[in-house]
Amino acid sequence: MYHKLHSAMDSLKQNDTANSCSQGANLDAQDGEDKQFCPGYKDVDAFVKYGLGSVLLATKASSGLPQTGDEFDFYRSFPGFQEFCEVQGDRLLLCMSQIMQHHSCRSRMRDRDKLTGLEERFDLVVDANDVILEKVGILLDEADGVNRSQQPVMPAGFQPPKIVVSSWNRKGSSSGGRSETFRLLQAKNIQRPQLKFKEKVDNSNTPFIPKIFIKPNALKPLPSYFAIKQIRKERPEDLDVPAALADFIHQQRTQEHIEEMFVHPYQFELDHLTVPDSLLSKTDPKMYKPIEETSCSFIETLEDLVALNEKLNEMSEFAVDLEHHSYRSFLGVTSLMQISTREQDFIIDTLELRSEMYILNEAFTNPSAVKVFHGADSDIEWLQRDFGLYVVNLFDTHQASRALNQARHSLDHLLKHYCSVDSDKRYQLADWRIRPLPDEMTLYARSDTHYLLYIYDCMKAQLLDFNHGQPGLLQSVWNRSKDISLKKYVKPIFTEESYLEVQRKQKRSFNTQQLTAFRLLFAWRDKLARQEDESTGYVLPTHMMIKISEELPKEPQGIIACCNPIPPLVRQQVNELHLLVQEAREMPLLKAEIAMQKTKGLTPIKKPEVTLFGPHDTSRVPECTEPHFSADELPVKQGVFFSDDDHKSDDVQEISGLVACAKITLFEEPETKEIKKSHSVAQMKARRIIESFENPFRMYLPSSGVHVNENAKFDPSSKIFEISKRWKLQTMEQQQRELESTKKAKEEAKQQAKKAAEERHKAKESYKESLQNVATIRQQTAECAKADGKKRERVPSEAGPSTPKLSKKLKSAEKSLKTETPPQESFKAFDYSQSDLKVFSDTKSKDNSQFDPNRQTHDAKKKKMAAGKKGNSGAGNRSMSYLAGSSNRGFRHNWPKR
Ligand code: AMP
Ligand code: MN
Ligand code: ZN
């Protein structure tokens, strides 16, 4: 036995030396090829063989150790054994600590402090394993030719740009360039600019309301709503009246201004803007100044900004472009503004001057100055969203390029074509939050506007030539540009259906469990992203969300395995995610799905290959050969809650079918043929009658006697598990038979479609009814306040899928939370007073319910404590209580398209 232990130790020791050997080898390999790969070994293969042998020996020896339990306890009664174990144990822990430290992981393995329990140490090992394996993955990728340094200064998670080497880029750094850009990529510790913002970001699930409060160059005054700060900033909470009355007053006020709130502030001016003849007639293009001879001012103070505005007011045209960051922010942040006149370039630090940028409205809305943009669609939205800036008299060279029918419409193409300049569009996706701005990025940013006025001249001339001097085509470009400047920023709004839009794009068929998982994960992701002010792609990339939904891992570890690399928030909240997946697994697999799986030999849905562009890539899943379901042709489901219901008497089946109808109102699917077929007209009638008596809140009630024990169902050791499994198999057979015997259904199909429509309508109605039962946000806030005492909890205003089962579960897990049923209140659409409209709030507000990125840092400790030691299970308990209330606000996701 001692011998076994010794040999285990020895092989581990050898392993350890082998390990450090390989690290040395890595360095060597970088230094020069001719050096020996690893001293003492002929080649990599020899080394790997040796390493594997050692690992094998160690594994064997360790499994030969006395087992926990009686055997181990017996040996442990000998002091010699005990001492030996202690010594070797310490050695092992030291060894592990060293390896972990080497990989810069947390390591307190050897800390014999009893406070760090086994569990925590285990977590440390798991974390370290993840990190090391991740590194291995990256190195293997690199060895495989996936060279990550090809994606410089990109925030992880974006697609690789086309690589065009620009002349100026090449000049500055022929060989050093790569390491330089690589270094930037490594610049990880970029301070979150959001922390500096004077006005905090409003990520609430409420419509965007324009930020403008002064309107220069107005032909029609700014609506009182925007002009009178008092109204904007007065929150119902601050009124010295009872809450209900405050709500009412606030609602009245808001209603009064609703039209004003959503109209484009410069609609009137833009409607009445006419292009002067001078802009429709031919002029000679004015050559740009060489970029090296042009001064470039970096603007980061209010004085400089004011001076720039003055200067721009004198101009008859200037070019504008923006750089944007969207990975570490929910809505995105405009990080840079470039402006070029014929003589000068300006770069504005819009992170620094975010709250002052509105000053530029004077120049930007001055109708006598042309603002030249290239592809302004997003820019127009970002200007509104971040600064309350609008553009009057826009010329978009992208629109001009389209009108001219050019081969490609990108700016780099125009630069090449008109100015023979190669631009390096790699920088387009750089992390524009980096400060101070590296020279290369500054140069790139400048080149986006520096040549634009000349390009504008050329294109104007060409548009006139195109039409033999007739201004029609040019006029159309002005018109299109105007349409773009009339665009309004729309905030991404979460609705119960949002997930379907994303799911549909994936072109995969999901069964009910998978779809449920996707829906729950989607809601979790949206909520967390808003709360933490991160992009949804940062929280949990879509392709990982798809993978988790498809695989429905049984263990938290399985969720981790679906993600590589593991997004930090996933790691932190893996228990929460696990609960969601469990919740999804509790959904019944519907007959049709089981049949489908059976015909497929129960193989899981085939996944198309996903091209990953970055570790957190959110996008681009290639088309899949699988047939996919659109929202209205989702996997067919009949009104059977659990597939094992089939064996109950017909009556029970009927009723359980009705129960299911209530449960699945969200999905709005047509009923499937098979079950309907077995109903006679009379039965259908009866069914509808019974249905009309059915309590619409049935789905929220605990399951009646119909089902025995939910947990037992999923416990492989239980009888019920066994039975239900057998039933499922029987069901499949039975269904197969049914499928074969019924091919005559064509005629009935029409009838059924009609009925399905009816059902859907009813489902909608009952869903609407159920909404009425949802408490208003204010009431919930009050409830929370009551329950929490002085500590007021944030109440999400997000609309979301109700997850009754989950919250039930969570509640029982966390007894301390309130369980009163929310008071009834009638639901009203567009009731903004009920919403978390931060726009109405003062920035210095002490209202805890408002999002405040700063608070993260201050409250981090408190939060952690509340969330429990591991910070995940507890944190999750609060998060899934979405309200169904705001479902029909009618706003949809609308990300700026690029
Ligand atoms: P540009 O107008 O080309 O300078 O682009 C402005 C901003 O749009 C960049 O800073 C990026 O944040 C974003 N952007 C441009 N092109 C893309 C793209 N292909 N994918 C994602 N974001 C983009
Ligand atoms: Mn741009
Ligand atoms: Zn740009």
Side-chain angles (χ1 to χ4, degrees):
M1 218 279 313
Y2 274 46
H3 168 76
K4 269 183 194 159
L5 256 184
H6 269 297
S7 65
M9 286 289 101
D10 284 345
S11 37
L12 268 173
K13 206 168 70 191
Q14 282 166 354
N15 238 347
D16 192 30
T17 46
N19 197 344
S20 48
C21 229
S22 78
Q23 279 135 21
N26 258 348
L27 292 175
D28 288 351
Q30 277 164 11
D31 288 345
E33 305 279 271
D34 42 9
K35 274 194 195 160
Q36 210 178 5
F37 165 68
C38 189
Y41 298 95
K42 183 165 96 258
D43 53 12
V44 188
D45 278 346
F47 173 70
V48 169
K49 238 179 223 164
Y50 175 79
L52 267 180
S54 309
V55 171
L56 208 70
L57 270 178
T59 316
K60 246 185 184 166
S62 74
S63 61
L65 292 172
Q67 300 298 305
T68 42
D70 291 347
E71 209 184 340
F72 181 76
D73 291 343
F74 171 70
Y75 280 112
R76 224 176 137 74
S77 61
F78 298 94
F81 178 83
Q82 217 172 323
E83 196 187 317
F84 177 83
C85 282
E86 221 113 276
V87 172
Q88 297 306 329
D90 274 351
R91 255 184 79 196
L92 262 177
L93 289 180
L94 175 68
C95 179
M96 288 163 81
S97 289
Q98 281 173 344
I99 295 175
M100 286 157 78
Q101 267 160 23
H102 175 82
H103 291 281
S104 16
C105 305
R106 284 187 312 136
S107 61
R108 267 177 293 121
M109 300 304 289
R110 232 178 114 242
D111 190 358
R112 291 205 136 258
D113 186 352
K114 294 286 176 269
L115 285 176
T116 41
L118 190 64
E119 209 179 308
E120 190 151 317
R121 286 189 196 173
F122 185 75
D123 282 351
L124 285 178
V125 175
V126 171
D127 283 354
N129 271 344
D130 286 345
V131 170
I132 293 168
L133 286 176
E134 230 163 75
K135 283 187 184 170
V136 169
I138 290 171
L139 288 173
L140 283 176
D141 275 357
E142 253 169 43
D144 232 16
V146 184
N147 192 350
R148 296 191 181 214
S149 61
Q150 295 266 318
Q151 304 163 16
V153 286
M154 277 172 39
F158 285 112
Q159 62 275 55
K162 309 160 271 199
I163 293 168
V164 188
V165 180
S166 82
S167 50
W168 48 262
N169 190 37
R170 201 187 295 135
K171 240 185 281 164
S173 47
S174 52
S175 64
R178 175 137 303 162
S179 63
E180 185 82 276
T181 47
F182 191 70
R183 194 169 51 76
L184 289 174
L185 176 64
Q186 297 294 329
K188 277 181 194 161
N189 297 320
I190 298 170
Q191 200 207 359
R192 287 172 71 77
Q194 292 98 313
L195 300 178
K196 283 192 303 198
F197 293 171
K198 290 177 191 145
E199 214 178 317
K200 296 309 165 201
V201 181
D202 175 15
N203 291 335
S204 65
N205 198 34
T206 53
F208 174 75
I209 294 173
K211 280 191 168 179
I212 189 168
F213 63 96
I214 321 174
K215 185 179 169 185
N217 301 303
L219 298 179
K220 194 180 163 185
L222 189 68
S224 57
Y225 171 76
F226 298 107
I228 306 168
K229 274 191 176 178
Q230 234 59 30
I231 302 181
R232 272 199 307 156
K233 302 215 164 173
E234 210 160 77
R235 292 167 313 135
E237 287 89 341
D238 298 337
L239 296 172
D240 195 18
V241 290
L245 191 54
D247 259 3
F248 178 75
I249 294 172
H250 186 74
Q251 196 180 330
Q252 286 303 106
R253 284 185 179 174
T254 318
Q255 291 292 337
E256 268 172 39
H257 297 285
I258 243 168
E259 264 181 41
E260 300 178 349
M261 274 153 67
F262 294 107
V263 79
H264 190 293
Y266 281 89
Q267 178 88 44
F268 185 84
E269 287 74 11
L270 283 162
D271 285 345
H272 292 82
L273 179 73
T274 44
V275 187
D277 285 344
S278 59
L279 294 178
L280 289 169
S281 51
K282 206 167 171 181
T283 45
D284 285 333
K286 189 171 183 301
M287 192 61 191
Y288 54 86
K289 251 168 91 170
I291 203 160
E292 307 82 41
E293 292 166 24
T294 311
S295 80
C296 177
S297 319
F298 197 73
I299 295 185
E300 46 190 347
T301 65
L302 181 57
E303 297 78 64
D304 287 351
L305 188 69
V306 170
L308 173 63
N309 182 52
E310 299 290 304
K311 186 169 276 170
L312 294 178
N313 278 332
E314 319 273 281
M315 299 291 151
S316 56
E317 69 259 307
F318 57 90
V320 186
D321 186 39
L322 302 176
E323 301 306 330
H324 185 256
H325 178 86
S326 54
Y327 190 53
R328 301 301 307 274
S329 141
F330 182 71
L331 298 171
V333 273
T334 308
S335 308
L336 213 64
M337 181 186 282
Q338 305 98 283
I339 294 182
S340 290
T341 65
R342 301 266 180 196
E343 302 296 322
Q344 273 177 292
D345 295 331
F346 301 90
I347 290 188
I348 308 170
D349 185 347
T350 55
L351 296 177
E352 199 60 48
L353 293 169
R354 185 178 164 96
S355 301
E356 283 80 36
M357 289 298 289
Y358 73 90
I359 290 172
L360 291 180
N361 250 341
E362 200 178 354
F364 276 41
T365 60
N366 173 8
S368 48
V370 176
K371 272 67 67 176
V372 183
F373 282 66
H374 179 84
D377 306 61
S378 304
D379 303 48
I380 292 295
E381 296 188 18
W382 296 337
L383 288 171
Q384 292 176 26
R385 183 196 62 196
D386 292 347
F387 318 126
L389 280 174
Y390 296 83
V391 179
V392 175
N393 203 0
L394 168 74
F395 187 92
D396 190 330
T397 50
H398 178 254
Q399 294 305 326
S401 170
R402 285 185 171 278
L404 287 170
N405 243 331
Q406 289 184 341
R408 287 188 295 126
H409 310 305
S410 61
L411 179 63
D412 40 336
H413 183 249
L414 298 188
L415 283 171
K416 180 97 190 135
H417 183 252
Y418 292 105
C419 315
S420 306
V421 169
D422 289 313
S423 71
D424 188 344
K425 273 290 165 188
R426 272 188 296 175
Y427 289 96
Q428 192 175 50
L429 298 173
D431 192 331
W432 289 100
R433 299 171 305 164
I434 296 175
R435 296 292 182 277
L437 208 59
D439 289 347
E440 285 171 336
M441 285 169 73
T442 308
L443 198 51
Y444 167 83
R446 279 179 77 183
S447 71
D448 266 359
T449 52
H450 181 80
Y451 306 95
L452 214 49
L453 289 179
Y454 171 71
I455 293 174
Y456 156 70
D457 290 345
C458 296
M459 295 189 105
K460 236 174 17 171
Q462 232 175 318
L463 284 162
L464 287 170
D465 284 347
F466 208 86
N467 244 9
H468 314 290
Q470 292 301 305
L473 198 59
L474 179 54
Q475 180 68 58
S476 80
V477 174
W478 284 111
N479 291 343
R480 277 164 198 270
S481 302
K482 189 201 279 186
D483 288 344
I484 291 172
S485 53
L486 274 167
K487 276 185 83 169
K488 284 185 285 183
Y489 173 67
V490 179
K491 209 163 142 187
I493 293 295
F494 178 92
T495 71
E496 283 95 352
E497 285 90 34
S498 311
Y499 78 102
L500 285 175
E501 284 165 40
V502 179
Q503 198 269 340
R504 221 176 300 158
K505 277 186 208 140
Q506 305 301 320
K507 314 216 158 158
R508 302 178 185 218
S509 54
F510 273 177
N511 64 32
T512 13
Q513 292 184 350
Q514 292 169 323
L515 200 62
T516 306
F518 191 78
R519 173 170 62 81
L520 295 175
L521 292 171
F522 189 91
W524 171 86
R525 175 174 91 159
D526 183 89
K527 186 178 164 58
L528 202 62
R530 288 176 195 270
Q531 189 180 307
E532 301 295 325
D533 199 13
E534 301 283 4
S535 66
T536 51
Y538 174 80
V539 176
L540 175 58
T542 303
H543 71 269
M544 292 184 189
M545 200 159 72
I546 296 272
K547 188 148 196 234
I548 299 171
S549 310
E550 271 179 359
E551 305 205 348
L552 297 171
K554 288 208 179 86
E555 306 292 331
Q557 204 51 41
I559 294 175
I560 298 282
C562 288
C563 310
N564 184 24
I566 306 150
L569 292 167
V570 170
R571 190 197 294 276
Q572 197 190 328
Q573 297 214 4
V574 69
N575 288 350
E576 166 81 358
L577 290 174
H578 179 230
L579 282 179
L580 298 181
V581 173
Q582 262 183 342
E583 163 83 4
R585 292 181 76 90
E586 275 170 25
M587 289 295 286
L589 267 185
L590 301 159
K591 270 188 184 179
E593 292 161 1
I594 296 167
M596 208 160 70
Q597 293 214 349
K598 201 189 175 192
T599 52
K600 281 182 189 167
L602 282 170
T603 43
I605 294 148
K606 213 182 148 215
K607 292 153 240 159
E609 225 171 83
V610 181
T611 327
L612 296 183
F613 292 104
H616 286 176
D617 178 40
T618 51
S619 56
R620 316 223 166 201
V621 181
E623 303 246 329
C624 167
T625 45
E626 288 281 332
H628 93 281
F629 299 92
S630 74
D632 28 33
E633 38 159 358
L634 282 164
V636 185
K637 133 189 341 183
Q638 54 276 103
V640 182
F641 224 162
F642 293 98
S643 45
D644 33 0
D645 279 351
D646 299 13
H647 309 274
K648 300 187 178 106
S649 74
D650 269 346
D651 303 6
V652 176
Q653 195 180 328
E654 293 300 313
I655 292 164
S656 68
L658 298 174
V659 173
C661 278
K663 168 98 183 172
I664 56 177
T665 48
L666 294 181
F667 297 102
E668 294 198 318
E669 295 156 32
E671 297 249 338
T672 188
K673 287 173 195 167
E674 294 110 66
I675 197 170
K676 285 271 181 154
K677 224 156 274 164
S678 59
H679 292 285
S680 69
V681 178
Q683 274 176 319
M684 286 301 211
K685 233 179 225 168
R687 185 189 168 133
R688 275 204 300 280
I689 293 167
I690 297 170
E691 197 172 351
S692 67
F693 291 124
E694 184 65 43
N695 178 357
F697 306 110
R698 175 65 191 80
M699 59 178 169
Y700 294 108
L701 300 176
S703 51
S704 62
V706 183
H707 289 289
V708 204
N709 179 343
E710 282 308 309
N711 292 330
K713 237 184 221 312
F714 299 97
D715 179 5
S717 65
S718 79
K719 200 88 200 141
I720 296 156
F721 178 84
E722 224 180 277
I723 295 167
S724 73
K725 211 171 137 197
R726 208 166 51 233
W727 281 355
K728 253 178 207 158
L729 289 173
Q730 283 172 4
T731 317
M732 288 196 292
E733 276 168 30
Q734 188 188 331
Q735 199 183 353
Q736 196 64 30
R737 263 180 269 127
E738 273 174 23
L739 277 173
E740 280 158 12
S741 67
T742 54
K743 286 181 179 170
K744 48 183 168 134
K746 271 190 185 168
E747 205 192 307
E748 283 175 34
K750 267 188 196 167
Q751 232 184 0
Q752 279 154 14
K754 221 179 181 183
K755 263 172 205 145
E758 260 173 47
E759 296 283 336
R760 238 178 295 155
H761 181 71
K762 245 177 230 159
K764 257 190 196 165
E765 291 296 305
S766 83
Y767 177 61
K768 263 188 210 150
E769 258 178 73
S770 76
L771 287 179
Q772 295 180 358
N773 208 26
V774 176
T776 62
I777 290 162
R778 167 170 300 285
Q779 284 165 329
Q780 299 228 346
T781 318
E783 292 289 326
C784 282
K786 237 189 276 165
D788 281 16
K790 51 196 168 343
K791 202 182 137 209
R792 203 166 149 195
E793 238 193 29
R794 187 171 358 161
V795 173
S797 58
E798 286 93 326
S802 45
T803 52
K805 266 194 187 169
L806 177 76
S807 45
K808 209 165 62 194
K809 207 184 249 171
L810 291 174
K811 269 174 196 156
S812 63
E814 200 178 58
K815 288 165 230 141
S816 67
L817 278 180
K818 63 276 152 178
T819 45
E820 312 97 287
T821 43
Q824 301 214 0
E825 171 104 345
S826 62
F827 172 78
K828 284 192 193 89
F830 281 92
D831 186 357
Y832 297 105
S833 67
Q834 308 297 331
S835 316
D836 187 14
L837 276 183
K838 280 168 212 144
V839 202
F840 296 107
S841 78
D842 203 329
T843 40
K844 349 182 242 306
S845 128
K846 69 257 168 216
D847 185 1
N848 281 347
S849 68
Q850 307 229 334
F851 176 77
D852 177 359
N854 270 329
R855 224 181 49 202
Q856 254 174 274
T857 41
H858 303 315
D859 286 356
K861 275 180 212 153
K862 263 190 250 163
K863 228 192 215 169
K864 254 189 198 149
M865 270 158 60
K869 217 176 182 184
K870 284 191 184 170
N872 28 20
S873 52
N877 288 353
R878 278 169 285 149
S879 54
M880 285 314 296
S881 48
Y882 282 127
L883 303 175
S886 29
S887 65
N888 42 4
R889 282 207 177 106
F891 289 85
R892 309 216 138 213
H893 256 292
N894 187 358
W895 284 104
K897 283 195 191 91
R898 292 277 339 154

